[in-house]
Amino acid sequence: MKSYRSRLSFGLFGAAAGVVNGLFGAGGGMVLVPLLIRGGKLPDQTAYASSIAIILPLCLVSLIVYSRSGSVPWGASLPYLAGGLLGGLVGGLVFRRIPPQLLHRVFGAVIVWGGLRLLL
């Protein structure tokens, strides 16, 4: 059984991911994966997979909130769905074949690239 302190930390990790996801429409995994690895002491690949399991419900909640406020441009969003589903399938299938160190580097590169694009 996890201690109260551990459960509180895990709840705070989830809350941080939820806030980032809600504010930016995505990105909770960028917060959650490092927290799951360092704070939750999960193996790398388990943390990546767990992040997806946690982020999916967060994305659904954010989608409902955004949709109810009329902020979702469905016509502009739906064309990306087929490619996103295919990419998710391919990523999920090759996930276990990629060494954890390479996953870290690619994940870090994606975060840096996204951050630079937002800043420039």
Side-chain angles (χ1 to χ4, degrees), residues 4-86:
Y4 171 77
R5 187 177 181 140
S6 293
R7 287 182 289 173
L8 179 62
S9 295
F10 297 157
L12 292 173
F13 294 170
V19 167
V20 169
N21 199 71
L23 283 174
F24 304 118
M30 287 187 239
V31 171
L32 198 52
V33 168
L35 291 174
L36 290 171
I37 291 171
R38 289 189 183 90
K41 307 287 188 241
L42 292 179
D44 296 354
Q45 289 180 320
T46 303
Y48 287 109
S50 298
S51 173
I52 291 170
I54 295 165
I55 294 301
L56 176 62
L58 298 179
C59 286
L60 292 174
V61 169
S62 295
L63 175 64
I64 290 167
V65 171
Y66 283 129
S67 183
R68 291 183 83 185
S69 71
S71 298
V72 179
W74 290 104
S77 302
L78 291 178
Y80 295 94
L81 185 58
L85 291 173
L86 181 60

Side-chain angles (χ1 to χ4, degrees), residues 30 102-117:
M30 287 187 239
L102 181 58
L103 280 175
H104 275 285
R105 291 174 192 246
V106 170
F107 186 67
V110 168
I111 291 172
V112 169
W113 178 72
L116 287 173
R117 288 194 38 107

